[in-house]
Amino acid sequence: MRSGGIGFAIGMVTALALNWLIAQMRLPAWQVVDLTHPLQPGIPVWPGNPPFELRNLARLSEHGYYANALSCAEHTGTHVDAPIHFVEGRRSMHEVPATQLVGEICVIDVRDKVARNPDYLVSARDVRDFENRYGQIPPGAFVIARTGWEERWNEPKRYVNMDEQGVMHFPGFGSDAAKLLVERNIAGVGIDTLSIDYGPSKDFIAHKILLGANKIAVENMANLRALPPRGATILVGALKIRDGSGAPARVLALVRR
């Protein structure tokens, strides 16, 4: 075959490969699930943090355009905890690699256990039970605890769930689960509560173990009911705040139809 023919053939193969890749990535093949609570005044916040505020700067009727200013803590709404949030010398928000913000989702459903115990700790046994059923958690995955707590989001007092002694009560990850997930070399964890540590925690050990290993945590997640146990892909659109300890995020999942 003459060189021109070879070039034509290579070009045809390249075009076919590119068309195949585009066909595989077409969004109609995927359902896009929003795992994010809207930021708005009145949402639950960590006790002591400032409330979310939205201040109008311009109105269409007066200025010809519409704009607002917002004010909130880094850890407001659906947000990311950067490793430096609890461990000195670890990555701040702008240092988290973009590759760590995308990964396979593994959803561990502990709703039944949380219904019996609001202070439930996701355990290493829960992780292994999940793996026995769905296969080992792969490196780079996001392990999300579905506790059912998101159903309380629109009732901030029930969501924070503070008792008369000022102790909060909601589920989180146990230290044994956190250590096992570090061994699995995950990218991060997620949960539908205020914190990856349970409400009564005083040492925040899950944060220290996971963030100490430069993993990230996504808290206050929404719409976990729409996720399968495995196979979906997470996209964490966190604000790239220089030296930030965390950031609000628009978190999406791609679920194959």
Side-chain angles (χ1 to χ4, degrees), residues 7 14 16 25-26 30-31 40 51 68 77 89 98 111 128-129 151 160 170 181 189 254:
T14 302
L16 289 171
M25 297 181 68
R26 286 181 306 173
W30 300 84
Q31 176 187 3
Q40 61 189 43
N68 301 299
R111 287 175 298 159
R128 292 194 175 95
D129 286 347
E151 303 300 331
V160 176
F170 52 78
L181 293 175
V189 296
L254 299 180

Side-chain angles (χ1 to χ4, degrees), residues 6 11 15 17 36 50 81 112 127 144 151 160 163-164 171 174 188 230 251:
I6 294 173
T36 317
D81 285 359
D112 289 347
V127 175
I144 297 175
E151 303 300 331
V160 176
D163 64 23
E164 294 178 355
R230 283 198 67 168
V251 184

Side-chain angles (χ1 to χ4, degrees), residues 90-112:
R90 298 300 186 265
R91 293 172 182 148
S92 58
M93 202 62 236
H94 79 282
E95 295 171 317
V96 175
T99 52
Q100 195 174 351
L101 302 176
V102 181
E104 181 184 346
I105 299 173
C106 297
V107 181
I108 299 179
D109 191 335
V110 292
R111 287 175 298 159
D112 289 347

Side-chain angles (χ1 to χ4, degrees), residues 45-81:
V45 296
W46 189 266
N49 277 1
F52 177 82
E53 294 183 0
L54 195 68
R55 179 170 57 88
N56 181 253
L57 297 177
R59 298 184 185 280
L60 284 166
S61 59
E62 298 177 32
H63 306 92
Y65 68 96
Y66 175 60
N68 301 299
L70 58 86
S71 174
C72 65
E74 294 168 316
H75 304 270
T76 301
T78 304
H79 68 274
V80 173
D81 285 359

Side-chain angles (χ1 to χ4, degrees), residues 171-202:
F173 284 90
S175 60
D176 58 338
K179 291 174 184 177
L180 180 57
L181 293 175
V182 169
E183 290 178 14
R184 296 289 187 265
N185 195 25
I186 61 167
V189 296
I191 197 166
D192 53 355
T193 69
L194 272 176
S195 172
I196 60 170
D197 276 288
Y198 78 147
S201 179
K202 295 181 179 180

Side-chain angles (χ1 to χ4, degrees), residues 20-30:
W20 178 86
L21 181 60
I22 292 172
Q24 295 305 304
M25 297 181 68
R26 286 181 306 173
L27 280 181
W30 300 84

